[in-house]
Amino acid sequence: MKKRAIFIDKDGTLVDNSSYPEIIPTDKLLENDILEGLKYIKERGYLAIIVSNQPWIAKNKVTFEKITSIFNSIVSQLKQKNILIDDYIFCPHQTSDNCDCKKPKPKMIFEMVQKHDIDLINSYMIGDMDFDIETGKSAGTKTILVLTGNGKEYQKNTNADYIIENLNEIKK
């Protein structure tokens, strides 16, 4: 039987990105906005998979290894709170690289579908930007825009299936 998944953007959805676009990648969790929602997702039997663009690598602002350590830190911090992140994937390219993995292209989701035998129709993409919503739509998932991070900028012009204040509100 195929699994259901929640694909979750990292910056602005799970972690602070208040300095965007002059961002320095961080593992600082938005704890007050995400922990209850993530627990709820896991209790409902969804896989939790982080899907993120990390163009800072291609821009030589941070190394691939540093980004990997940031993702591992996020996974570890959440594990200490009894929340299991099942996997993560990120695109290291910038827009000018014209890669086929950078959101809003759905390749990263499709890779996770293959790896984990995921049912896209019963899965969701959650993020704070239009690219996140477009990615989910292109992949065939339902979509949720969170108003953390940059979400407030996109709420008027989004075609997201749902809009919630933060990840904790997924329970409603």
Side-chain angles (χ1 to χ4, degrees):
M1 187 167 136
K2 289 190 178 272
K3 301 171 191 114
R4 300 175 305 163
I6 305 287
F7 300 100
I8 309 165
D9 171 58
K10 177 176 121 5
D11 299 307
T13 304
L14 290 177
V15 301
D16 179 34
N17 75 335
S18 54
S19 61
Y20 183 85
E22 298 304 318
I23 195 166
I24 298 169
T26 180
D27 62 353
K28 183 178 181 236
L29 295 174
L30 296 170
E31 288 193 25
N32 295 334
D33 295 328
I34 66 169
L35 296 180
E36 294 307 312
L38 288 171
K39 286 177 186 172
Y40 180 83
I41 286 167
K42 295 305 294 180
E43 288 167 1
R44 298 291 168 293
Y46 286 90
L47 296 177
I49 300 172
I50 303 171
V51 178
S52 181
N53 288 341
Q54 294 298 307
W56 332 112
I57 297 169
K59 294 176 181 179
N60 293 316
K61 294 191 177 196
V62 70
T63 65
F64 187 93
E65 292 74 23
K66 177 64 176 170
I67 293 292
T68 300
S69 74
I70 289 170
F71 275 80
N72 288 335
S73 173
I74 292 165
V75 169
S76 177
Q77 289 177 67
L78 290 170
K79 187 176 183 180
Q80 290 171 9
K81 298 178 184 317
N82 296 314
I83 300 168
L84 175 67
I85 297 297
D86 296 282
D87 210 341
Y88 65 81
I89 187 170
F90 58 85
C91 168
H93 306 108
Q94 58 188 328
T95 304
S96 62
D97 292 336
N98 293 316
C99 68
D100 60 355
C101 55
K102 186 174 175 64
K103 293 185 292 184
K105 295 174 183 169
K107 182 180 179 182
M108 290 189 289
I109 288 180
F110 292 153
E111 285 185 25
M112 291 291 107
V113 166
Q114 290 295 315
K115 183 175 180 182
H116 296 284
D117 195 28
I118 295 169
D119 171 12
L120 283 172
I121 293 171
N122 291 302
S123 295
Y124 293 81
M125 175 71 206
I126 300 175
D128 70 316
M129 295 180 78
D130 57 348
F131 278 179
D132 301 314
I133 302 309
E134 290 175 43
T135 302
K137 295 283 184 187
S138 295
T141 69
K142 294 177 204 75
T143 57
I144 301 172
L145 179 76
V146 291
L147 300 182
T148 52
N150 293 301
K152 288 180 177 66
E153 294 176 32
Y154 295 102
Q155 70 181 359
K156 291 187 175 119
N157 298 316
T158 186
N159 66 343
D161 295 303
Y162 305 97
I163 300 174
I164 57 179
E165 191 66 32
N166 58 47
L167 200 51
N168 287 342
E169 292 213 348
I170 201 164
K171 296 165 58 170
K172 295 183 178 181

